[in-house]
């Protein structure tokens, strides 16, 4: 499979502009032979936009914005994973969500961010309450995470145990937290023997300066593709055979001892 990540500055000119920009990047990705395009977190609206604006722009998963993304996916013949604010049908705060739409325009996976980061996340969103189901697409087992989620090793390990081979992670990571992209994301890939895709913003939004460094990491933790600080599209070829080779050589999943982790913080063998 061939994957592309958009690294762009957050758009301040509205959803229509973001959809137009997505159309352009989808054309580039398809021209490069890609099967899937991944956007940053909250791509359709921007991330650090304030609770009132998030609420105003929130839509259901099958709303008009989703229909337009589906149209872009169909016209270009590639799948798109995009971030957006999902409206709560019960009237609560929106969810920070991502949705995967396939090349036929069908909605095939959805996830709500479960680990909220800092005051901005907590002021704008409510947390999701479950990890994403692992879905089968294009012969791959795929799981979803959003930004801060990938910094928790428990979530990616749970996905690996669920059978995931690839974790797609839209993000809005800012300076000075480069180490998330350069250390933690490769570690999540290596410790679970799977691919991790991390699509970030660059540029500024409000008082945030985003750090870029979008990447695609292999099951052994190495970079397959890595962006710098500026805008652009990174492209990576993923080979499923690497997963089996890596898990045979680095046997974290095989050698783990779940019976001693079930009561972390409470069980101890004193001598």
């Amino acid at each position: 499979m061939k994957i592309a990540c958009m690294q762009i500055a957050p758009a301040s000119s509205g959803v229509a502009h973001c959809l137009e920009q997505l159309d352009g990047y989808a054309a580039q990705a398809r021209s490069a032979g890609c099967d899937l395009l991944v956007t940053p977190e909250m791509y359709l609206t921007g991330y650090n936009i304030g609770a009132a604006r998030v609420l105003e722009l929130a839509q259901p998963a099958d709303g008009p914005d989703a229909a337009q993304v589906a149209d872009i996916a169909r016209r270009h013949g590639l799948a798109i994973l995009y971030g957006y604010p999902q409206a709560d049908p019960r009237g609560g705060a929106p969810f920070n969500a991502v949705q995967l739409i396939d090349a036929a325009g069908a909605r095939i996976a959805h996830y709500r961010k479960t680990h909220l980061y800092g005051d901005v996340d907590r002021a704008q969103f409510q947390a999701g309450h479950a990890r994403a189901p692992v879905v089968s697409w294009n012969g791959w087992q795929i799981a979803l995470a959003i930004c801060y989620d990938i910094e928790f090793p428990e979530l990616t390990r749970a996905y690996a145990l669920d059978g995931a081979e690839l974790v797609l992670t839209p993000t809005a990571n800012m300076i000075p937290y480069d180490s998330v992209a350069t250390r933690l994301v490769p570690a999540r890939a290596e410790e679970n023997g799977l691919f991790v895709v991390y699509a970030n913003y660059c540029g500024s939004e409000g008082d945030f300066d985003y750090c870029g460094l979008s990447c695609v990491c292999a099951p052994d933790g190495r970079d397959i593709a890595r962006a710098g600080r500026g805008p652009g599209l990174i492209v990576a070829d993923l080979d499923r055979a690497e997963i089996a080779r890596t898990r045979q050589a680095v046997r974290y999943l095989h050698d783990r001892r779940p019976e001693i982790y079930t009561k972390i913080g409470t069980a101890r063998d004193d001598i």
Side-chain angles (χ1 to χ4, degrees), residues 85-111:
Q86 184 193 16
D88 181 359
R90 300 165 299 180
F95 297 94
N96 183 335
V98 292
Q99 183 155 239
L100 178 60
I101 293 183
D102 71 12
R107 297 184 295 114
I108 59 172
H110 192 274
Y111 171 69

Side-chain angles (χ1 to χ4, degrees), residues 37-50:
L37 174 64
V38 182
T39 79
E41 180 178 7
M42 287 284 289
Y43 168 72
L44 287 186
T45 61
Y47 170 66
N48 185 23
I49 61 174

Side-chain angles (χ1 to χ4, degrees), residues 239-271:
D239 180 0
R240 289 182 72 245
E242 287 195 47
I243 297 170
R245 288 197 298 267
T246 299
R247 290 181 178 179
Q248 183 64 32
V250 182
R251 298 174 63 81
Y252 292 129
L253 296 179
H254 179 271
D255 292 340
R256 64 191 186 87
R257 297 277 309 281
E259 71 276 10
I260 67 171
Y261 317 140
T262 54
K263 297 180 180 179
I264 292 173
T266 61
R268 192 174 65 180
D269 184 9
D270 289 325
I271 297 175

Side-chain angles (χ1 to χ4, degrees), residues 26-74:
Q28 288 184 48
R30 194 59 187 146
S31 294
C34 294
D35 306 290
L36 171 64
L37 174 64
V38 182
T39 79
E41 180 178 7
M42 287 284 289
Y43 168 72
L44 287 186
T45 61
Y47 170 66
N48 185 23
I49 61 174
R53 187 69 170 150
V54 168
L55 184 60
E56 176 188 350
L57 296 174
Q59 291 194 3
D62 59 353
D65 290 348
Q68 292 194 66
V69 175
D71 180 63
I72 293 169
R74 279 192 300 269

Side-chain angles (χ1 to χ4, degrees), residues 110-121:
H110 192 274
Y111 171 69
R112 298 164 170 175
K113 189 175 187 179
T114 51
H115 300 82
L116 297 184
Y117 175 77
D119 294 339
V120 172
D121 254 359

